[in-house]
Amino acid sequence: MRWIWIDAFVEFESRRRASAVKNISRAEDYLHDHFSGYPVMPASLLIEGMAQTAGILVGEARGFKENVILAKIRKAEFDGYAVPGDQIRFDAVLETIDDRAAATTGLVLKNGNAMGKVDLIFSHVNQADRSLDLPDENFVFTDQFLNLLASFRSSVGHGIPTDVGK
Amino acid sequence: MKFGFVDSIIELTRSERIVAVKAVSAAEEYLADHFPTFPVLPGVLMLEALVESAAWLVRDAQAFASSMVLLQNAKNVTFKSFVKPGSLLRLEVTCRQLAQGDSDFDGIGFCNQTEVVRARFALQHFCLQEREPSLAAVDRRITEEAKERFSLLRRSVNVR
Amino acid sequence: MAVNGNEVFSKVQDVLTDALGVDAAEVSSEATLQGDLGAESIDFLDIVFRLEKAFAIKIPKGELFPDDILNNPDYVAGDRLTPTGLERLKTAMPHADFSKFEGEPSVSKMPDLFTVGTIVKYVENKLRAA
């Protein structure tokens, strides 16, 4: 299981909002254990999809200088569940950001329909804060995440299909 | 990889409280991405471990009547510390309410007696055949596997 | 701006019940955020953000919960605040009640200054000045 819970950005307005999609596929092998014979996307991983969407929005707002760490899930609520073939969209809004922390709100959509809300607080963690043998360089914003944003920016105008007209 | 974030159940008071452990190992593949230079258990997987602990309490309390046990909502989940490979995460989950189709819990995770995560969350539980009668066989399969996994997880505990 | 004390208390109560997951009954004026209501450091940040939104105010860093006292050697000696430290804290927190604290200004008792009443007073002061 890789740790990347969004597939592509479909919107990105610096310091304001971002939307990313995640397709759910039977080819994701962890699904076959949740549950055997009837794969269902775990809600905890939907929360992570929002955290990755919102976390990149927060990080980009300050030039990816800080380590943006999920510190609190204010609330996460889901109506129903998602299965292979569904396309999830995470719409994140940056509510507040300062030196120490940021707050985001977000909607989770399944095939264009509202299925959840996830509101988060992120902490900006640097070496001075926690004295926990943190790496010298930013450890959160790996190429994996930065490339997602770069792909979106270079694809703007080229169009990534997000809706197969379900 | 198998999607399961509870490695053993060490205490269980039926319908009331469960104590379980998630062992964190560098061999877990997703750690290579989270993060490459600083591998730590993702916060949502701490929540998942609390949710799965609660799910085992529900399955045991209902004699495995529901095949599907899912997280419905979580509130005020705070992550206090990083949890590194080599750590044992002790999950203490207390049931506030347990009805046939839904339940409510408070959960705390500890590493070496230090609190690392705290959450309040609700689950929903049901059988697929309630919504689609043709899925009765799938319910049975999920339930059988759950029973097997449960007996492996609690091999050293007496259910009170 | 005219300030309605009951309204402020009620909105502060809502902020704290949402942020901390406690019952409204527990959110009395004397309740301490950390000791009685179980608030942790991230909750303090969450509370500041929610208060800003609920009351349309801006809360600069350290204005509600001063954070530059404990790491200043002039203000702390051993486990107590120095007289300078106590003065500095009182100046920084006109919204807090020091009657119990000033007799024994120990560092470990500082969190007891952060009560629900402290927040209500802060918001009232802020709204009046607006």
Side-chain angles (χ1 to χ4, degrees):
Chain A
M1 181 168 79
R2 299 300 305 267
W3 197 252
I4 181 82
W5 297 106
I6 51 179
D7 297 330
F9 278 97
V10 294
E11 266 181 48
F12 196 93
E13 254 185 79
S14 182
R15 311 184 66 91
R16 296 195 51 202
R17 62 195 329 128
S19 292
V21 294
K22 184 210 167 10
N23 290 331
I24 301 177
S25 167
R26 321 180 42 81
E28 298 177 72
D29 62 3
Y30 65 87
L31 283 177
H32 296 281
D33 214 41
H34 188 280
F35 298 96
S36 176
Y38 196 85
V40 170
M41 185 70 186
S44 55
L45 298 181
L46 290 176
I47 296 172
E48 181 67 13
M50 180 64 78
Q52 294 187 348
T53 307
I56 293 172
L57 178 61
V58 167
E60 193 271 350
R62 292 167 66 93
F64 297 116
K65 291 207 188 63
E66 284 121 338
N67 293 305
V68 173
I69 298 288
L70 180 62
K72 183 171 181 179
I73 301 173
R74 279 172 155 175
K75 80 171 171 208
E77 296 170 342
F78 298 97
D79 188 7
Y81 53 86
V83 297
D86 286 337
Q87 183 174 78
I88 301 298
R89 200 174 92 208
F90 301 104
D91 287 347
V93 173
L94 180 58
E95 290 243 314
T96 263
I97 186 167
D98 68 22
D99 286 348
R100 289 173 303 174
T104 64
T105 55
L107 285 181
V108 181
L109 295 104
K110 179 177 76 173
N111 306 323
N113 300 313
M115 101 170 262
K117 290 180 55 101
V118 179
D119 296 343
L120 305 171
I121 299 196
F122 296 88
S123 209
H124 294 134
V125 172
N126 57 50
Q127 275 179 299
D129 281 0
R130 295 209 194 177
S131 59
L132 290 155
D133 298 327
L134 298 183
D136 291 331
E137 302 300 316
N138 191 297
F139 59 83
V140 171
F141 296 109
T142 56
D143 285 345
Q144 198 177 53
F145 289 129
L146 297 177
N147 287 342
L148 273 178
L149 186 53
S151 293
F152 167 74
R153 286 174 163 164
S154 69
S155 77
V156 166
H158 298 229
I160 295 184
T162 60
D163 175 11
V164 289
K166 206 167 171 154
Chain B
M1 69 163 262
K2 288 283 185 186
F3 192 79
F5 295 92
V6 166
D7 293 310
S8 68
I9 294 172
I10 54 185
E11 272 175 47
L12 176 53
T13 305
R14 180 159 288 155
S15 305
E16 287 181 20
R17 183 172 183 264
I18 186 168
V19 180
V21 174
K22 183 206 162 12
V24 183
S25 171
E28 295 175 62
E29 289 152 359
Y30 59 85
L31 287 177
D33 290 327
H34 190 281
F35 298 97
T37 58
F38 189 65
V40 289
L41 183 65
V44 299
L45 291 184
M46 297 188 210
L47 174 61
E48 175 66 24
L50 290 171
V51 166
E52 288 184 24
S53 303
W56 289 120
L57 181 149
V58 169
R59 290 186 194 280
D60 170 76
Q62 295 188 330
F64 294 81
S66 306
S67 60
M68 305 292 285
V69 183
L70 301 177
L71 173 63
Q72 167 126 72
N73 68 63
K75 289 190 205 312
N76 294 321
V77 182
T78 53
F79 303 109
K80 297 183 64 174
S81 281
F82 294 121
V83 174
K84 297 184 177 183
S87 302
L88 293 171
L89 179 61
R90 177 186 164 96
L91 308 147
E92 295 185 7
V93 174
T94 309
C95 183
R96 287 155 38 92
Q97 181 269 133
L98 176 54
Q100 197 195 352
D102 57 74
S103 52
D104 215 303
F105 297 88
D106 279 329
I108 309 182
F110 296 92
C111 261
N112 288 330
Q113 281 151 3
T114 302
E115 183 182 310
V116 298
V117 60
R118 169 184 286 268
R120 172 163 291 177
F121 56 93
L123 306 183
Q124 55 164 326
H125 13 104
F126 55 94
C127 275
L128 294 166
Q129 62 191 288
E130 291 164 36
R131 302 172 185 199
E132 246 177 276
S134 62
L135 293 177
V138 179
D139 281 330
R140 277 194 296 276
R141 174 168 158 187
I142 294 174
T143 300
E144 280 317 301
E145 290 207 12
K147 285 180 185 165
E148 270 175 41
R149 192 186 279 200
F150 184 66
S151 78
L152 281 177
L153 290 175
R154 52 158 286 237
R155 51 187 179 281
S156 61
V157 89
N158 291 317
V159 177
R160 277 176 273 143
Chain C
M1 175 181 154
V3 170
N4 178 327
N6 283 335
E7 229 179 78
V8 172
F9 180 80
S10 175
K11 270 163 101 159
V12 168
Q13 212 179 27
D14 287 342
V15 162
L16 294 177
T17 55
D18 284 344
L20 304 177
V22 294
D23 295 327
E26 298 174 68
V27 185
S28 62
S29 197
E30 315 72 42
T32 59
L33 294 184
Q34 211 179 72
D36 295 327
L37 303 182
E40 329 223 347
S41 55
I42 193 65
D43 295 318
F44 279 75
L45 291 177
D46 187 1
I47 289 165
V48 164
F49 288 157
R50 287 180 197 259
L51 289 170
E52 286 185 327
K53 193 168 180 182
F55 293 102
I57 53 180
K58 243 357 242 144
I59 302 180
K61 182 169 177 307
E63 195 174 90
L64 170 54
F65 304 122
D67 56 2
D68 61 345
I69 308 285
L70 295 181
N71 41 26
N72 188 321
D74 289 339
Y75 298 157
V76 181
D79 63 348
R80 291 165 77 94
L81 292 193
T82 60
T84 321
L86 180 56
E87 272 321 296
R88 165 84 193 111
L89 188 59
K90 279 172 142 179
T91 313
M93 289 188 80
H95 42 282
D97 175 0
F98 283 88
S99 52
K100 284 192 201 122
F101 182 75
E102 57 190 337
E104 206 203 305
S106 73
V107 167
S108 60
K109 289 212 163 15
M110 252 182 75
D112 294 345
L113 286 170
F114 302 130
T115 64
V116 175
T118 308
I119 296 183
V120 172
K121 197 99 212 297
Y122 174 86
V123 172
E124 284 173 347
N125 290 347
K126 204 76 176 161
L127 292 175
R128 274 194 205 101

